[in-house]
Amino acid sequence: MRLIEMRPTRYTPAHHTADLGELVCSNSLKGMSPNTAAGLLKSEMAMLGSVVLQTAHRTRVAAGGSLAVDRDLFARTLTQRIEGHPRIEVLREEADALPDGHTIIATGPLTSPALERVLTRLVGNELLSFYDAASPIVLGESLDEGSLFAQSRYGKGEGDDYLNAPMTREEYDLFYDALVAAQRAMPKDFERMELFQACQPVEEVARTGRDALRFGALKPVGLTDPGTGLRPWAVVQLRAENADRTIWGLVGFQTNLTFAEQRRVFGLIPALRDAEFLRFGVMHRNTFVEAPNVVDPTLTLKDHPCIRLAGQITGTEGYLEAAASGLLAALNTWADITGHESVILPKTTALGALIGYATDPATAHYQPMHVNFGLVPPLAKRVRGKQERYAAYVERACTDLAEWCAARPDLELPMKTDHE
């Protein structure tokens, strides 16, 4: 196997070392609690033999309930393990073309211009994004049903394509004042120009005038609140993000607010007062493909059967999610080479649900996504308590994955949930 890494020959604006696995933002790999989506993903990665997860545990630092690492030791240890592997050749050069044979492209969110051109030729410019402007998404069952009504503007579509969160004039004024005063997360210099030429954050639109949003993303025209029989003063529309309609995106709410401010300010919308945010809005430089139209469930390019994508370039958002998709791409490549069945995990698992969402042609308005329980299929029997429901998701996932692993001896998986 040959691994091509352009550093130290060439660096991205965010990297500072030549180590593989350099963490450019936080040193946290999310929480360890077993009854969370992030905790479940770690259990699944352990069962699938993730070297990245093993290295994280070996270089862990104290961080309460989170898996945080000594970032330098983590990257250095991972680099040593890969460079010392007898079957891996590491080439330190920039790739401006793809090699023949089985190839995995895992270039992260800051793909070099040379490889961006290669990707453009492979998938088409219209299916490749160079910035990430995503609105928040929330768990449907955490919304206040009494403050919502299902309706499409002027009765178009199916009639319930959107959920509408109405606001009175007083509620809108409170929301507006908080929005324009909220703290923003400033992008880095290399992100700023392209980002703000591409689209405007909701808070920037609001700053152009108190009624700007009422004539834009929050316009109430064509809608009638059945509770009052009147047109609301302003309306936040939510659009289903998956076929099960369990997760909903806030339409037109791309934002550059900090995550804490998003929770506080958007919580002023009556229907979202207790909303569980599965993904906060983000706006930053990011290279990723429109995965549902580009890759199949094995992460193979639909028109190029020897090429797979992995990591953040597929829209799997987060360190562990990126590593997990890389592991899945590698297992599928191995299955291809050895003539075995493709590796498609049960959709009841955290990773199976994430990849299923990212590669489902029915997924519309695709934006990068991190692992969350809103993506997994509903339980056969409804469980009301959140913690009890999450525990049931985890039990189902671990059972299904253990059975799946046992049926795949060709992959030589460790099938263990403890960590090295």
Side-chain angles (χ1 to χ4, degrees):
M1 171 186 168
R2 179 177 297 165
L3 189 154
I4 303 175
E5 166 59 57
M6 70 178 184
R7 292 175 291 133
T9 302
R10 178 171 182 170
Y11 287 88
T12 75
H15 289 87
H16 302 287
T17 77
D19 287 333
L20 306 174
E22 178 184 347
L23 304 180
V24 299
C25 298
S26 168
N27 69 327
S28 173
L29 305 183
K30 299 183 180 177
M32 286 292 296
S33 175
N35 287 344
T36 63
L40 174 59
L41 180 61
K42 292 178 180 65
S43 295
E44 294 173 4
M45 292 174 70
M47 295 174 73
L48 296 172
S50 170
V51 171
V52 172
L53 184 64
Q54 293 166 7
T55 304
H57 279 280
R58 291 177 181 177
T59 58
R60 186 177 183 181
V61 297
S66 297
L67 175 57
V69 300
D70 178 318
R71 66 172 69 237
D72 294 331
L73 183 59
F74 169 79
R76 187 165 63 249
T77 302
L78 191 60
T79 302
Q80 291 169 350
R81 186 164 185 176
I82 292 172
E83 290 184 333
H85 197 288
R87 299 180 64 182
I88 300 177
E89 177 188 7
V90 179
L91 296 181
R92 297 288 186 164
E93 60 186 37
E94 183 178 6
D96 56 8
L98 298 184
D100 295 329
H102 291 281
T103 303
I104 298 175
I105 303 175
T107 53
L110 297 175
T111 304
S112 72
L115 269 182
E116 280 184 352
R117 290 191 290 270
V118 172
L119 277 170
T120 299
R121 291 195 295 269
L122 289 173
V123 306
N125 192 61
E126 72 279 4
L127 296 178
L128 186 63
S129 298
F130 301 102
Y131 60 92
D132 185 355
S135 298
I137 63 169
V138 293
L139 186 65
E141 62 188 27
S142 70
L143 300 173
D144 183 355
E145 294 183 4
S147 300
L148 292 166
F149 63 91
Q151 192 178 114
S152 297
R153 282 195 173 91
Y154 303 107
K156 295 181 179 179
E158 296 298 323
D160 61 350
D161 291 345
Y162 293 88
L163 293 180
N164 299 279
M167 286 189 279
T168 65
R169 183 169 187 168
E170 293 75 18
E171 291 166 342
Y172 175 81
D173 286 343
L174 180 65
F175 165 77
Y176 174 85
D177 291 338
L179 180 63
V180 296
Q183 182 180 357
R184 292 170 288 172
M186 295 304 296
K188 295 181 180 180
D189 291 340
F190 66 87
E191 298 175 327
R192 186 174 291 113
M193 182 177 296
E194 184 174 15
L195 174 63
F196 290 105
Q197 287 177 350
C199 61
Q200 287 292 308
V202 64
E203 63 271 14
E204 294 298 329
V205 175
R207 286 189 177 88
T208 64
R210 181 169 289 271
D211 288 323
L213 291 176
R214 293 185 59 247
F215 289 92
L218 275 66
K219 63 183 178 183
V221 297
L223 296 169
T224 302
D225 185 344
T228 65
L230 302 173
R231 185 173 76 181
W233 183 256
V235 168
V236 177
Q237 288 203 305
L238 296 95
R239 180 173 53 217
E241 295 282 331
N242 62 346
D244 291 326
R245 298 167 69 87
T246 56
I247 58 178
W248 295 80
L250 279 63
V251 178
F253 266 64
Q254 60 268 12
T255 178
N256 198 36
L257 298 184
T258 66
F259 290 176
E261 288 289 72
Q262 288 183 51
R263 189 188 302 277
R264 179 182 69 85
V265 176
F266 299 157
L268 295 174
I269 301 167
L272 275 67
R273 60 171 59 91
D274 296 315
E276 181 177 342
F277 286 81
L278 300 177
R279 181 189 70 200
F280 289 103
V282 291
M283 300 190 73
H284 56 77
R285 180 71 165 82
N286 195 1
T287 301
F288 67 97
V289 298
E290 191 176 327
N293 294 313
V294 171
V295 294
D296 69 15
T298 71
L299 299 178
T300 304
L301 287 180
K302 293 180 178 180
D303 296 327
H304 304 276
C306 286
I307 302 174
R308 286 189 171 85
L309 304 185
Q312 284 187 267
I313 201 165
T314 66
T316 50
E317 183 77 18
Y319 291 142
L320 260 295
E321 289 88 339
S325 70
L327 176 57
L328 189 62
L331 290 173
N332 269 298
T333 300
W334 174 254
D336 271 0
I337 293 172
T338 57
H340 289 92
E341 183 182 353
S342 295
V343 177
I344 300 176
L345 301 180
K347 289 188 177 180
T348 52
T349 63
L351 181 54
L354 178 65
I355 300 302
Y357 171 82
T359 60
D360 184 354
T363 297
H365 315 289
Y366 183 69
Q367 288 285 342
M369 179 70 73
H370 61 78
V371 67
N372 64 80
F373 283 136
L375 299 176
V376 302
L379 296 165
K381 183 178 181 181
R382 184 173 182 181
V383 178
R384 289 192 173 276
K386 184 170 75 171
Q387 295 306 317
E388 292 79 5
R389 184 170 63 254
Y390 286 0
Y393 286 144
V394 170
E395 182 180 3
R396 179 182 66 176
C398 290
T399 299
D400 290 352
L401 184 57
E403 293 177 355
W404 183 92
C405 290
R408 293 301 304 264
D410 56 292
L411 298 176
E412 301 180 10
L413 300 171
M415 290 181 59
K416 59 183 180 180
T417 55
D418 57 323
H419 307 292
E420 292 187 10

